[in-house]
Amino acid sequence: MENVFFRIASIYLVGITGIWKAIPVGIALQAHPIETASFTALGSVTTVIFLYHFGERVKKWVMKKWSQEKLESKKGRLSNIMDKYGAAGLGILCPGLFGPITTIIVGLLIVSPTSRLMPYLVAGIIIWSFLLTYLSVIGFDLLKVLF
């Protein structure tokens, strides 16, 4: 029982920092792929909802913390996706490509109203968590067979 709680807590807490970090943790802890993907997504969604809730404060902090050059660089790549595919494209494509934290922070700056982005961003996090977990498990199984 303690081992299960440790696995779940570890995956969730690392999932708060991003999808790409939590999936290897789940695999290393030998968690079931559904467990890994679910708690990775839950952790990332928790962060996104927290940042969305404190949107104005986060916007001000980002504007002060990041240099204008770095902000324009991130904003430029995500703005291109936003212009082509709208809030749905930004929310579904970008969590896996740039990470959910970067997506919500830049989304707060370029999507108005931000509430349009949230359902797509949550769906994108869930899709990418399960997709990357599935691909990682297959990749590790393939490595076991080959070596």
Side-chain angles (χ1 to χ4, degrees), residues 7 11 26-27 29-39 133 137:
R7 272 197 331 250
I11 296 167
I27 292 171
L29 294 174
Q30 298 177 344
H32 191 275
I34 292 175
E35 185 180 337
T36 300
S38 299
F39 286 100
T133 301
V137 168

Side-chain angles (χ1 to χ4, degrees), residues 79-102:
S79 287
N80 290 340
I81 294 171
M82 176 68 182
D83 293 341
K84 277 186 177 177
Y85 306 108
L90 184 70
I92 291 173
L93 290 175
C94 292
L97 301 175
F98 302 107
I101 296 172
T102 302

Side-chain angles (χ1 to χ4, degrees), residues 51-52 55-56 59 87 103-104 107-119 121:
L51 292 173
Y52 171 74
E56 284 304 313
K59 244 190 233 187
T103 303
I104 187 63
L108 288 169
L109 299 171
I110 65 174
V111 178
S112 180
T114 312
S115 60
R116 279 187 2 209
L117 175 65
M118 288 305 293
L121 186 53

